[in-house]
Amino acid sequence: MIICTNKMEYPLRTQCQRVHKQVMVNGEKERVSLLFMKALVSRGSVDAVSQQMASHPQYLESFLRTQHYILHMDGPLPLPYRHYIAIMAAARHHCNYLVYLHSAQFLRVGGDPLWLQGLEAAPPRLRLLDHINKVLAHQPWLTACSHIQTLLKSGEQCWSLAELVQAVVILAHCHSLCSFVFGCDTDSDFVPLSKSPNGTPPTFCPFDAANGNTNVPQLLATPSEHITRRRSLDSSCDMVCLKERIQKSQEEREKREERLLQTQTLQQTDMEEEEEMIFFTDPTRFITDPDLCYQEFARREEDHFQVFRVQDYSWEDHGFSLVNRLYSDIGHLLDDRFRSVTTLPSMHSPDLKRAIWNYIHCVLGIRYDDYDYGEVNQLLAQDLKLYIKAVACFPDATKTPVCPLSLAPLKTSERIHVNLLIMEARLQAELLYALRAITQYMIA
């Protein structure tokens, strides 16, 4: 008798592969669920950015760990300062999403609501950051030792070196996060909500509605839900729809009403005034010199800007050790982010990932002597290059959905992967410029 082993083993092998794949998928889902649960415990909501990154849980974990550390854990800067600096950074790119988010966080950690009236209402020490903020955001190659010296030697308003390093990390983190927000079209989907005439519970974050958190007041739903509800109330079946919603959310409504009854105090009145201020926070309040924007680095030879050569100052050999020494452990967290994004499972080849990374650094004035830049033109289609450059250098100019044809055939997770590469490459570029300037100040 002749036994065809291949035919007998094939179904078993296929079944094992399916089981292995299912275990991997279930493991990834559990990992994402755990991350979201942690976010719910620490912040009371899962923000839209985290939901976008959920297709890459390995990176999401690293990102959330770093963001939590710089905004909430031990560090030289007070918590309100950290969120205000984040507001300043996001405002440079007119990112309503992040300005709104950090305005709410700023008030939650005890920030003075008067500061949200604009940059001129902030303390002088914070206003001193304005120049390095706009330079890092738009033309990071202009970052100079003199900027560091101004901040560290400004009399009573001077910054310590440790404070400045944390501030720079927050600025670079939020600038690059703006690229991800606009690249994934998160900001265009976000519209600040009008204030509820009935007030809101003090523990409610207005951002929860946009995050898919169903345990929020009905009057503060997302814009699309608000439009849907308004249309349904104008139709003949409005009462039927309303009754169905009431029945489904009866328990949640009772809890909300109980919280509302408990907050009819002067404290709630103060909080409502603060929340109203958030709803109408305009990013332009926090910026100066609005005409400053990205300019082609390669076309500015007349200004004699020198190319930043990585063999002279790199993250691995210089930036990592400096930032880790002045801001404990942040170097390890950032390094983990850079490594995570470049090692994510993807249909993109390692050569393509490197081409994207090096191209972003190139348009920001950073060059690798050991890299053949001819590969950029070979591996990156023209429309993909335009997309990368727009999202990395002037994300706020992409007010409409940005999705070139070269990205359309890709899965959502792959498009997000490209945006993650853009974000991390830009983050590292800004840090390199800032840390090099700090190094020059320290050895001067």
Side-chain angles (χ1 to χ4, degrees):
M1 179 183 296
I2 299 177
I3 300 176
C4 183
T5 55
N6 286 338
K7 291 184 179 180
M8 293 185 65
E9 291 178 356
Y10 179 77
L12 180 59
R13 183 167 61 250
T14 302
Q15 183 178 3
C16 290
Q17 290 173 346
R18 289 176 180 174
V19 171
H20 178 70
K21 183 177 181 181
Q22 187 62 39
V23 169
M24 299 255 324
V25 171
N26 291 340
E28 294 292 284
K29 288 182 178 179
E30 290 178 2
R31 192 174 189 178
V32 173
S33 298
L34 180 60
L35 292 173
F36 281 1
M37 287 175 63
K38 290 180 179 179
L40 285 169
V41 170
S42 63
R43 299 193 300 271
S45 63
V46 180
D47 62 274
V49 167
S50 297
Q51 294 181 42
Q52 292 274 12
M53 295 179 183
S55 55
H56 297 289
Q58 176 187 348
Y59 173 82
L60 174 60
E61 184 175 2
S62 178
F63 173 84
L64 291 177
R65 189 186 301 115
T66 306
Q67 182 170 258
H68 182 73
Y69 185 82
I70 64 177
L71 293 176
H72 303 288
M73 298 298 287
D74 292 342
L77 291 177
L79 296 183
Y81 267 52
R82 303 181 196 189
H83 290 289
Y84 200 85
I85 292 169
I87 293 171
M88 292 172 60
R92 284 309 312 183
H93 289 307
H94 306 282
C95 185
N96 294 308
Y97 179 96
L98 292 179
V99 170
Y100 187 92
L101 174 63
H102 287 287
S103 295
Q105 296 279 354
F106 172 77
L107 294 178
R108 282 182 173 182
V109 297
D112 187 344
L114 293 178
W115 296 7
L116 297 181
Q117 293 179 358
L119 191 59
E120 66 282 354
R125 293 185 74 228
L126 285 171
R127 295 202 301 270
L128 282 174
L129 284 177
D130 178 59
H131 186 74
I132 196 170
N133 176 31
K134 61 189 178 186
V135 167
L136 284 174
H138 305 296
Q139 300 178 31
W141 54 85
L142 293 178
T143 309
C145 176
S146 58
H147 300 147
I148 307 302
Q149 184 174 5
T150 299
L151 290 164
L152 297 179
K153 295 184 177 181
S154 299
E156 296 180 356
Q157 308 301 330
C158 68
W159 289 69
S160 70
L161 203 52
E163 290 174 329
L164 179 57
V165 169
Q166 185 178 16
V168 163
V169 171
I170 294 174
L171 289 174
H173 169 80
C174 291
H175 291 156
S176 59
L177 188 55
C178 286
S179 290
F180 182 84
V181 168
F182 282 106
C184 292
D185 203 27
T186 303
D187 193 77
S188 64
D189 292 336
F190 167 71
V191 179
L193 307 173
S194 60
K195 183 165 171 48
S196 167
N198 297 325
T200 57
T203 58
F204 168 66
C205 174
F207 226 5
D208 291 346
N211 294 338
N213 184 353
T214 57
N215 188 24
V216 298
Q218 296 284 346
L219 291 173
L220 289 178
T222 57
S224 60
E225 290 176 344
H226 176 70
I227 294 172
T228 302
R229 290 172 182 169
R230 183 180 60 190
R231 289 175 178 172
S232 67
L233 291 175
D234 291 339
S235 67
S236 59
C237 64
D238 54 346
M239 291 306 297
V240 176
C241 297
L242 184 59
K243 287 179 181 180
E244 290 178 354
R245 289 199 300 270
I246 290 175
Q247 292 174 355
K248 291 180 181 179
S249 61
Q250 182 177 1
E251 183 178 353
E252 288 79 6
R253 188 183 67 251
E254 290 174 354
K255 292 180 180 179
R256 291 194 299 272
E257 290 173 352
E258 182 179 354
R259 288 197 296 267
L260 285 172
L261 290 175
Q262 293 173 350
T263 56
Q264 298 303 318
T265 61
L266 180 60
Q267 182 178 3
Q268 186 212 350
T269 302
D270 294 339
M271 180 163 292
E272 288 179 355
E273 293 175 355
E274 293 174 358
E275 288 178 352
E276 185 173 8
M277 191 174 298
I278 302 176
F279 283 117
F280 299 100
T281 299
D282 182 0
T284 59
R285 298 179 181 180
F286 305 99
I287 63 175
T288 62
D289 195 6
D291 294 331
L292 181 67
C293 59
Y294 173 80
Q295 296 185 17
E296 293 283 351
F297 179 86
R299 298 179 182 178
R300 298 186 60 79
E301 296 179 358
E302 68 277 6
D303 294 327
H304 305 291
F305 289 116
Q306 293 186 350
V307 171
F308 188 117
R309 300 198 177 278
V310 174
Q311 74 270 17
D312 297 331
Y313 197 96
S314 67
W315 167 256
E316 294 80 6
D317 297 332
H318 306 88
F320 171 83
S321 58
L322 177 64
V323 74
N324 219 40
R325 177 158 54 93
L326 296 176
Y327 185 13
S328 179
D329 294 329
I330 190 61
H332 294 290
L333 293 171
L334 291 169
D335 196 60
D336 185 59
R337 278 180 61 174
F338 299 146
R339 294 178 186 275
S340 294
V341 77
T342 55
T343 58
L344 284 178
S346 171
M347 63 184 299
H348 304 313
S349 67
D351 290 341
L352 180 60
K353 293 180 183 179
R354 190 182 183 195
I356 293 173
W357 187 280
N358 288 358
Y359 176 64
I360 296 166
H361 279 193
C362 179
V363 297
L364 294 175
I366 299 175
R367 304 276 291 192
Y368 296 80
D369 285 351
D370 61 347
Y371 181 71
D372 179 10
Y373 284 88
E375 290 187 6
V376 171
N377 292 329
Q378 294 175 5
L379 298 173
L380 303 183
Q382 183 63 24
D383 52 356
L384 178 57
K385 288 173 64 178
L386 291 174
Y387 173 87
I388 293 171
K389 187 173 184 178
V391 174
C393 301
F394 33 88
D396 46 315
T398 59
K399 294 296 184 182
T400 55
V402 183
C403 185
L405 294 177
S406 60
L407 292 184
L410 298 180
K411 297 179 181 179
T412 301
S413 62
E414 295 299 329
R415 294 201 303 270
I416 292 174
H417 189 195
V418 171
N419 289 324
L420 290 178
L421 284 168
I422 295 172
M423 176 174 67
E424 292 301 324
R426 179 182 177 183
L427 170 62
Q428 188 179 99
E430 288 193 26
L431 289 175
L432 284 174
Y433 278 112
L435 294 173
R436 184 183 66 169
I438 292 174
T439 300
Q440 292 171 344
Y441 169 82
M442 294 174 66
I443 64 178

